[in-house]
Amino acid sequence: MKSVKLTVSAVAIVAASASGALARDQIQSAGSSTVLPYATIVAEAFGENFSFPTPVVESGGSGAGRKKLCEGVGENTIDIANSSSRIKQSDIDTCKANGVNEIMEVRFGYDGIVFASDINGKEFAFTPADIYGAIGANVAKDGKVVANTAKTWADVKADFPAQDILMFIPGTKHGTREVFDTKVIEAGCKATGAYDLFLAAAEGDDKAKEKAAVAQCNTLRTDGTSVDIDGDYTETLSRIDANKNAIGVFGLSFYQNNTDKLRVATMDGVMPSVETIAKGEYPVSRPLYFYVKKAHIGVVPGLQEYIDFFVSDDMAGPNGPLAAYGLVPDPELAKTQEMVKNDVAMGPLN
Amino acid sequence: MTAEATNMPAKARPSLYAIDPRTKRRNAAEKRFRLYGVAAVGFGLLALVVLLSSVLGSGLGAFRQSVLTMQVPLDAAVLDKEGTRDPAAIAKVTTIAYGKLLQDALTAELTEKALLPAGMKPKDVGGMISKEAPAQLRNLVLANPDLIGTTVSFDALANGRIDGFFKGRVTMESAKLDSNVSPEQLELAQAMRDAGLLALKFNPGFIFAPDASELRPEAAGLGVAILGSAYMMLIVLVLSLPIGVAASIYLEEFAPKNRFTDLIEVNIANLAAVPSIVFGILGLAAFINFGGLPQSSSVVGGLVLTLMTLPRIIIPARAALKSVPPSIKDAALGVGASKTQTIFHHVLPLAMPGILTGAIIGLAQALGETAPLLLIGMVAFVRDYPAAPPEGFFDPASAIPVQIYSWTQRADPAFTERASGAIIVLLVFLLVMNSLAVVLRRKFERRW
């Protein structure tokens, strides 16, 4: 008898509350774990200073966030997708198919990618060519493609220390890996001349050749010298802690929070910092975006205020809390502010 | 063997005191087996000690927090320019202005007490205060506008690095390399502690405060997560116990034994072993995409965990029902009770301790579950407390294991301490639930 009563009351509670909670009053966003800290800092400050509820920020990855954004329009879909890489045409097509016709693209700053080793490790001054020479599967040697057999960094470049090569790089599901591949590995591949050799050896028309050569460039060693880390930077850090000879790939903000544990390497002779990345001197950086569903502006309370606040000088400006955490401010922030204020939807990808 | 035995000459009967080699071997085997057992238990205990000492060692710090006590003049010229004390006008002053106010107040106080080292910038002094403090001060002023113009004694959280210094996480050596704190700041903090301006105090905020962003680990708490977990457990209990008990009574007492019920039985056993993430995928499809329930809400979490817990409640409930001796049923039926009366008056009360034990253990498992919540948007940064039930079931919420998971991923090392602290809280909850199950079983279970 008791159980019957309980069931009935349970059903009654659920039914009664379902009718009472229809309108969503807080902003919901999801996406990149790189953007997550920035989004939480803004959400927190927004909740403190405005009369709107604190927005909910979910992580899960850039791609997952964009997919959720494109699920449709309505209360059960998110308002903002955080992304550490630009939206893809396939995402836009999915959005269109589900009735999400207008998306605002907001670039709020840049993020640097740094190479760092244990704080007591040796000092390194890398170029993309060094990284490629260390972990590329095939390298150019005397005008021929040969399998990479370098064991120590001294094998890669004579003035490096004779320390075993071991690199912890972000796994393929990370947005960071994309930047690492294009800005470091492909750049290094081209600089060492391996790209031209791959191109010459490839078959088919020009486009197919190029594609094959890039794919060849991005083939990394599988003999344990380069290890994919699928977890977060905290995992890379603990791996380096356990293996002092290793070199890991981190986001600039993560490094800035752990400067007492990590020694950062220069790239092309430039020390990574908010300033050098803003000036464009440090080569490995990428823009950070968030994408707003325009149909929700004016419907979800506070959405317009939130995105205005996100790109305001108080937050994303050079003296704001985001820069203090490691965001590289966008030099064209004023333009972005204007665009966000007028709710300009993004045009087709170029 | 037999040939050998028969060929052997008959031995004189050995003394009972002298142990023959075979008995010796058997005794040795028994001794060895006992040793294996002790070694196995010892290994388990050792693992427990290692786990507990590492969790307690790094997590207990989260329950104490460095707090700066200072006198803050609430300047009317800053907080209420027009002097109207209009709440809307006061609310326009942002936390940035309050941060400035706190920084000036601390600098003034340090100068007065002659603690301020020469050459230290006000910005570095302000950097020792948590970024949460301006928000707390602002809330205080908004709640009591009359305070404007007076000087209040205010307890501000210290910055996470300063706090880490007193907990041994940050040292002078690491501060030299750290871009977020300088040795001068640490020396000043030590001087302030000696002067009684800074103290390590019990930190109720860790239990009651909501999560905080990466810039203020010192303010992060478990409040929203504990509330979210409580809401979900309530939903799981209210749904899965009656459904589970009804299903097990039917299957055990009424259902005919045929291929179909066999199939159900196999499926229940199978579902109990299905990885929990599968239920998350199901929940996303059924409750959010199809049912239209809000994302990140505890109602969806509770429903998903109910699905996961059901088979884990049905199996022990059936075992408990089965263990009630048939003689009791027969006696009840014999004096003319109907089958339903027999079950509800006699079988169910006797099986209840076993059923409740199973339910509590099922709930404890659900409490520690993260994987299914990943997919329904509960692994999120949620800072606002959900409202009171039933509306609150539909508000976004977090959960304790989810909070642990997200804290371990953050860059600031202070969050490691928070994560371990949260593990302690979770372990306490689990310990309470599991001991309750043991007590119930001991107290009410009858053996025949």
Side-chain angles (χ1 to χ4, degrees):
Chain A
M1 274 328 223
K2 226 179 208 165
S3 61
V4 175
K5 272 188 207 154
L6 274 175
T7 321
V8 171
S9 52
V11 170
I13 287 173
V14 171
S17 34
S19 53
L22 277 175
R24 174 154 68 81
D25 48 10
Q26 78 285 340
I27 299 163
Q28 289 203 321
S29 60
S32 164
S33 50
T34 309
V35 181
L36 181 77
Y38 303 116
T40 55
I41 289 167
V42 177
E44 191 174 56
F46 181 74
E48 272 165 19
N49 288 311
F50 289 76
S51 54
F52 301 105
T54 309
V56 173
V57 192
E58 233 186 282
S59 61
S62 303
R66 295 195 301 254
K67 204 173 137 210
K68 272 188 147 175
L69 186 80
C70 290
E71 265 169 8
V73 176
E75 294 232 330
N76 288 316
T77 58
I78 60 168
D79 311 311
I80 298 174
N82 299 320
S83 182
S84 60
S85 50
R86 207 163 179 220
I87 196 165
K88 299 207 163 51
Q89 188 57 46
S90 59
D91 294 320
I92 296 178
D93 294 343
T94 328
C95 266
K96 281 243 163 71
N98 291 329
V100 185
N101 292 319
E102 285 189 304
I103 310 167
M104 286 167 64
E105 179 179 63
V106 184
R107 189 185 65 208
F108 64 93
Y110 290 85
D111 175 41
I113 289 168
V114 306
F115 294 80
S117 55
D118 186 72
I119 185 75
N120 299 318
K122 297 205 171 66
E123 210 155 303
F124 279 96
F126 287 125
T127 64
D130 299 334
I131 304 285
Y132 184 75
I135 61 170
N138 296 297
V139 288
K141 201 173 183 186
D142 308 327
K144 265 190 232 141
V145 174
V146 293
N148 193 349
T149 53
K151 263 192 74 90
T152 67
W153 285 102
D155 296 340
V156 177
K157 201 170 173 182
D159 52 359
F160 278 156
Q163 174 182 320
D164 280 349
I165 298 172
L166 177 58
M167 286 200 70
F168 294 125
I169 61 172
T172 44
K173 73 163 196 171
H174 286 278
T176 316
R177 176 61 176 268
E178 220 178 290
V179 189
F180 175 77
D181 280 350
T182 51
K183 297 249 166 122
V184 181
I185 294 298
E186 278 169 38
C189 185
K190 281 177 185 157
T192 53
Y195 177 78
D196 294 328
L197 295 174
F198 291 144
L199 201 62
E203 284 168 19
D205 58 24
D206 281 356
K207 227 174 169 184
K209 270 184 164 178
E210 239 170 70
K211 218 173 153 188
V214 168
Q216 280 267 6
C217 280
N218 282 330
T219 313
L220 301 180
R221 290 171 83 171
T222 50
D223 53 2
T225 46
S226 120
V227 180
D228 279 19
I229 304 286
D230 278 326
D232 285 76
Y233 296 135
T234 40
E235 187 187 337
T236 313
L237 179 65
S238 60
R239 293 273 203 116
I240 285 186
D241 207 29
N243 202 326
K244 309 278 188 206
N245 277 335
I247 289 170
V249 178
F250 296 95
L252 178 70
S253 58
F254 189 90
Y255 162 68
Q256 289 203 335
N257 270 291
N258 290 283
T259 43
D260 54 333
K261 298 189 194 72
L262 292 170
R263 178 191 287 269
V264 74
T266 60
M267 181 59 72
D268 287 343
V270 184
M271 197 64 155
S273 72
V274 170
E275 292 79 37
T276 53
I277 293 169
K279 280 191 208 139
E281 287 166 2
Y282 185 79
V284 199
S285 70
R286 58 167 162 188
L288 299 177
Y289 299 93
F290 62 87
Y291 292 90
V292 187
K293 203 179 283 175
K294 219 185 142 186
H296 283 196
I297 292 179
V299 179
V300 175
L303 185 54
Q304 181 67 50
E305 286 84 349
Y306 175 69
I307 55 178
D308 281 337
F309 184 62
F310 203 130
V311 295
S312 68
D313 288 333
D314 281 345
M315 282 290 130
N319 296 316
L322 299 189
Y325 186 72
L327 180 78
V328 180
D330 192 338
E332 295 176 4
L333 195 63
K335 226 171 168 184
T336 312
Q337 286 164 354
E338 192 62 24
M339 189 213 88
V340 169
K341 211 170 143 206
N342 298 326
D343 296 339
V344 183
M346 70 181 289
L349 284 181
N350 41 32
Chain B
M1 269 300 275
T2 45
E4 218 179 56
T6 44
N7 287 344
M8 276 214 287
K11 263 196 254 170
R13 199 177 205 150
S15 152
L16 276 176
Y17 293 105
I19 300 166
D20 66 86
R22 255 184 83 179
T23 316
K24 228 180 213 165
R25 269 208 307 281
R26 285 193 303 157
N27 288 351
E30 186 178 325
K31 213 176 220 168
R32 271 203 306 278
F33 183 74
R34 279 189 189 196
L35 269 179
Y36 296 151
V38 169
V41 172
F43 180 73
L45 281 178
L46 186 74
L48 183 70
V49 167
V50 169
L51 174 83
L52 280 185
S53 56
S54 85
V55 166
L56 291 178
S58 57
L60 280 177
F63 295 92
R64 293 173 79 219
Q65 204 67 40
S66 307
V67 175
L68 301 160
T69 310
M70 53 179 153
Q71 302 297 320
V72 186
L74 297 172
D75 192 354
V78 179
L79 301 181
D80 188 16
K81 280 186 195 120
E82 276 116 54
T84 54
R85 299 290 189 270
D86 175 17
I90 301 173
K92 282 219 176 76
V93 182
T94 61
T95 43
I96 298 167
Y98 282 91
K100 193 90 193 359
L101 208 66
L102 280 171
Q103 179 177 314
D104 294 345
L106 187 61
T107 314
E109 189 154 350
L110 290 177
T111 322
E112 190 190 315
K113 295 221 163 93
L115 286 171
L116 193 66
M120 191 177 227
K121 287 188 225 123
K123 200 168 170 253
D124 291 334
V125 176
M128 295 172 65
I129 309 171
S130 165
K131 292 189 174 59
E132 178 77 6
Q136 286 172 348
L137 187 64
R138 183 170 179 270
N139 288 341
L140 182 76
V141 171
L142 287 183
N144 314 292
D146 297 337
L147 289 176
I148 295 177
T150 62
T151 297
V152 294
S153 170
F154 182 70
D155 279 356
L157 287 171
N159 179 286
R161 302 283 157 133
I162 304 291
D163 181 56
F165 175 59
F166 294 116
K167 290 174 181 166
R169 193 172 59 233
V170 176
T171 59
M172 288 291 174
E173 286 75 50
S174 77
K176 269 181 213 144
L177 303 161
D178 199 326
S179 56
N180 293 307
V181 72
S182 65
E184 290 78 39
Q185 281 177 314
L186 294 185
E187 275 161 24
L188 176 58
Q190 186 61 52
M192 286 169 71
R193 193 174 183 189
D194 296 339
L197 293 175
L198 191 157
L200 266 179
K201 290 186 184 164
F202 174 67
N203 176 25
F206 182 62
I207 305 289
F208 299 110
D211 192 10
S213 75
E214 312 232 3
L215 282 179
R216 35 180 108 155
E218 61 279 357
L222 277 171
V224 174
I226 290 178
L227 211 53
S229 276
Y231 282 9
M232 285 197 290
M233 287 309 106
L234 193 68
I235 294 171
V236 173
L237 183 70
V238 165
L239 290 180
S240 66
L241 189 62
I243 297 176
V245 172
S248 37
I249 290 177
Y250 180 78
L251 286 175
E252 203 52 49
E253 304 289 344
F254 293 101
K257 291 266 169 284
N258 56 28
R259 284 233 174 128
F260 184 63
T261 46
D262 283 351
L263 191 72
I264 290 177
E265 197 154 326
V266 169
N267 273 302
I268 289 174
N270 206 8
L271 277 179
V274 160
S276 54
I277 191 133
V278 175
F279 291 102
I281 297 170
L282 178 73
L284 176 68
F287 300 128
I288 295 180
N289 292 346
F290 180 72
L293 289 169
Q295 292 202 28
S296 321
S297 61
S298 37
V299 67
V300 179
L303 287 171
V304 167
L305 293 179
T306 302
L307 292 183
M308 196 198 82
T309 315
L310 263 179
R312 294 174 188 178
I313 285 187
I314 292 177
I315 292 172
R318 290 188 65 183
L321 288 170
K322 214 180 265 175
S323 71
V324 176
S327 55
I328 290 181
K329 271 186 259 180
D330 293 343
L333 290 172
V335 296
S338 74
K339 189 140 192 185
T340 319
Q341 281 175 322
T342 311
I343 290 165
F344 283 101
H345 293 178
H346 301 282
V347 178
L348 195 56
L350 288 171
M352 223 38 181
I355 293 176
L356 286 181
T357 310
I360 291 170
I361 290 171
L363 274 185
Q365 278 178 340
L367 180 65
E369 202 57 72
T370 329
L373 305 180
L374 266 172
L375 289 158
I376 56 167
M378 289 199 81
V379 182
F381 175 76
V382 185
R383 221 177 122 76
D384 286 343
Y385 296 101
E391 285 85 15
F393 289 143
F394 295 85
D395 289 342
S398 187
I400 304 175
V402 164
Q403 198 66 71
I404 295 170
Y405 172 72
S406 57
W407 279 345
T408 52
Q409 292 178 325
R410 300 209 181 155
D412 195 312
F415 278 109
T416 317
E417 172 200 274
R418 300 269 142 182
S420 297
I423 293 173
I424 296 175
V425 173
L426 185 65
L427 283 181
V428 168
F429 277 118
L430 292 178
L431 196 68
V432 168
M433 288 172 87
N434 286 326
S435 354
L436 190 70
V438 171
V439 167
L440 271 180
R441 196 163 51 212
R442 283 278 161 79
K443 192 144 192 213
F444 296 107
E445 193 174 54
R446 287 180 61 179
R447 295 182 178 279
W448 286 280

